[in-house]
Amino acid sequence: ARTDLDIVHTEIIDENNSFAYRAYVGAGLPYGNSRLLPFERRFFIGGGSNLRAWRARTIGPGSYSDSSSVVSVEKTGEFTLQGNIEYRFDIIDERLDGAVFFDAGNIWNFREEGNFENSDFKFNRFYKEVALNTGFGLRFDLTYVVFRTDWGIALHDPSKIESRRWVIRDFSSEGWIIDNTALNFAIGFPF
């Protein structure tokens, strides 16, 4: 059984500026003789529509940390919390728009799974496991379709040890930009 709630609100300041807000909550529970939700019904996070500083399925669940650099399609969860704020503005009237955004969220399981330590949702620690990023993007409006590119910059990475999660502190270190940012290309608006 799975359900989700996606709330989006756009506040238009004037014809060239607006704010867009999004809150997303989802939960799924296996029932009957199933111990796990089917893969296609599980939640994942990262990529072009949420947590844009990470590639899809490279963050979570919870504060689980994977030492390999390989993208794991197993990084899915049974519960998700996400929030996004985006300031949208015109650069070239009706053709090129810009955006500055802030994303927050993660996925969790309802119980810890053997392969994923600290992947379960706990009220006393979930707020420490929320990933945060910021960034900016360009939207190319071709009337019938919008091509979008977003550069996400990680601020808080829950997969790090607790004292090192604010990755923005190491901004000036060598290789930081390659390790803590992501460039996303997509079609349409993120929400």
Side-chain angles (χ1 to χ4, degrees), residues 29-40:
L29 287 172
Y31 62 91
N33 62 356
S34 298
R35 178 154 165 71
L36 298 172
L37 280 174
F39 178 77
E40 65 275 2

Side-chain angles (χ1 to χ4, degrees), residues 61-133:
S63 60
Y64 170 72
S65 178
D66 186 359
S67 59
S68 74
S69 61
V70 177
V71 175
S72 173
V73 295
E74 296 177 0
K75 288 189 175 181
T76 60
E78 300 167 330
F79 178 67
T80 186
L81 283 173
Q82 300 173 34
N84 310 81
I85 299 172
E86 192 169 274
Y87 170 60
R88 299 172 179 168
F89 54 93
D90 281 356
I91 296 174
I92 299 173
D93 195 35
E94 297 182 18
R95 291 290 173 230
L96 180 63
D97 297 332
V100 176
F101 57 84
F102 178 81
D103 304 324
N106 205 341
I107 55 172
W108 293 269
N109 291 311
F110 286 113
R111 62 187 167 281
E112 189 170 309
E113 295 179 12
N115 296 336
F116 299 102
E117 186 179 335
N118 296 322
S119 66
D120 55 330
F121 183 87
K122 298 281 187 189
F123 279 104
N124 65 343
R125 74 167 195 255
F126 86 94
Y127 61 92
K128 298 176 186 176
E129 299 173 338
V130 173
L132 305 172
N133 71 245

Side-chain angles (χ1 to χ4, degrees), residues 54 102-104 127-134 153-173 176 180:
W54 287 272
F102 178 81
D103 304 324
Y127 61 92
K128 298 176 186 176
E129 299 173 338
V130 173
L132 305 172
N133 71 245
T134 189
I153 303 162
L155 302 173
H156 185 263
D157 185 345
S159 68
K160 307 281 186 193
I161 61 172
E162 198 164 339
S163 64
R164 305 291 299 166
R165 289 184 180 168
W166 285 101
V167 294
I168 193 67
R169 290 180 185 162
D170 302 325
F171 179 75
S172 61
S173 65
W176 187 92
N180 293 288

